[in-house]
Amino acid sequence: MIDQSKKSPENTIDDNHIKFIASHMGSKKNEISSHSAQRRKQLLEAACAVIARRGLSGITVNDIANEAGCSYGVIAFHFKTKERLLLAALNVVASKYEAVWSEAMAAAPSSPAERLRILLEVDFDPRIARAADLAVWMAFWDEAPRVTAYKRRCSELKRRSLQSITDLVSELATLRSLDINVEAVSQGLYAITDGCWIFGHVTGQNGPQDRKRYRQICLTFLSAFFPDDFSPMPVASPR
């Protein structure tokens, strides 16, 4: 009778060999995952480029595939539907705004006046207020009343941004013992920043000096309520 408990060397799989195979499979999986993430990033960049040029009305998956230099099937594989692709494109610009905002506020001093200044720097930061980015924002804002998913994402970000301004205006008013309409001042400032974005997008006045002028406009508005913290600043004329 053969003792099955004794395995011949030929039938024995070395533990190190098993670990090597597992490690190799893990590396391949990570490589595939990394390639997939890079491809998704490329497709989203292409989607944002097409949206910036043409808006959302009438664009097709093939338009985006042509921009990305790939087939319709590649986009279908990664995003399944055009709607998912477009929502992911909106999330690209929204997440970029949130990342710049979070980074700036994490390094900001505790002074509410300085934090308000930094919020204005964020709103006109070239990383998020470039002409192409504004064009994408405007396209989604235009469709938000008709598309629930766009409305939800845009509203979520806008409400959070407005709440941040309101909290800082309230804190500064308390610090200075000022009796002001916090909600009106906060919404007024937020409306001015939105207005500057729209004006810059429509007129094409969105260069570095233009963005500087828009910040000055906002600071001048704040100086009317907080003269000890924000001095009226000369606002250069538009080009």
Side-chain angles (χ1 to χ4, degrees):
M1 184 175 181
I2 299 175
D3 185 354
Q4 296 294 332
S5 66
K6 295 181 181 180
K7 299 180 180 179
S8 64
E10 293 81 0
N11 293 328
T12 301
I13 300 177
D14 185 82
D15 286 344
N16 289 332
H17 186 59
I18 294 174
K19 291 178 181 178
F20 171 78
I21 294 173
S23 174
H24 180 69
M25 291 176 66
S27 297
K28 291 296 291 183
K29 183 177 180 180
N30 291 337
E31 182 180 333
I32 293 170
S33 177
S34 175
H35 181 269
S36 179
Q38 290 174 1
R39 172 60 88 174
R40 282 178 63 90
K41 181 174 182 292
Q42 178 198 13
L43 296 176
L44 289 171
E45 288 173 350
C48 288
V50 173
I51 294 167
R53 286 200 308 270
R54 299 180 49 184
L56 290 171
S57 179
I59 65 171
T60 67
V61 172
N62 280 328
D63 293 328
I64 297 170
N66 291 336
E67 180 75 20
C70 68
S71 68
Y72 180 105
V74 171
I75 292 180
F77 173 79
H78 285 279
F79 294 99
K80 309 305 180 188
T81 67
K82 172 185 167 182
E83 288 71 25
R84 289 186 181 183
L85 172 60
L86 295 181
L87 184 58
L90 169 59
N91 198 53
V92 166
V93 290
S95 296
K96 183 161 59 172
Y97 182 95
E98 290 168 333
V100 173
W101 181 89
S102 297
E103 179 186 356
M105 296 309 289
S110 59
S111 162
E114 289 305 311
R115 292 175 78 83
L116 278 170
R117 281 194 181 87
I118 288 172
L119 280 183
L120 294 176
E121 291 291 330
V122 168
D123 267 346
F124 301 108
D125 188 300
R127 289 173 291 177
I128 58 177
R130 297 176 309 140
D133 290 320
L134 292 187
V136 174
W137 276 117
M138 299 304 156
F140 281 108
W141 285 358
D142 183 53
E143 289 295 318
R146 293 178 289 277
V147 181
T148 302
Y150 302 164
K151 182 177 182 179
R152 184 184 303 115
R153 186 66 171 103
C154 291
S155 298
E156 172 191 74
L157 183 56
K158 281 190 163 297
R159 289 195 181 98
R160 194 181 318 138
S161 299
L162 177 58
Q163 188 60 54
S164 297
I165 291 174
T166 303
D167 291 344
L168 291 173
V169 169
S170 177
E171 184 181 348
L172 186 55
T174 300
L175 185 65
R176 299 294 180 234
S177 300
L178 296 173
D179 183 17
I180 64 172
N181 187 328
V182 169
E183 184 176 343
V185 173
S186 303
Q187 291 190 349
L189 179 60
Y190 196 68
I192 291 172
T193 59
D194 267 5
C196 289
W197 269 32
I198 294 169
F199 183 84
H201 172 66
V202 171
T203 64
Q205 294 177 8
N206 193 42
Q209 290 305 311
D210 298 310
R211 291 193 293 270
K212 180 180 179 181
R213 187 175 74 254
Y214 300 148
R215 284 192 293 270
Q216 290 171 343
I217 291 170
C218 294
L219 292 171
T220 298
F221 172 80
L222 285 172
S223 72
F225 305 96
F226 304 107
D228 293 339
D229 298 281
F230 304 97
S231 299
M233 303 182 69
V235 178
S237 299
R239 297 190 307 272

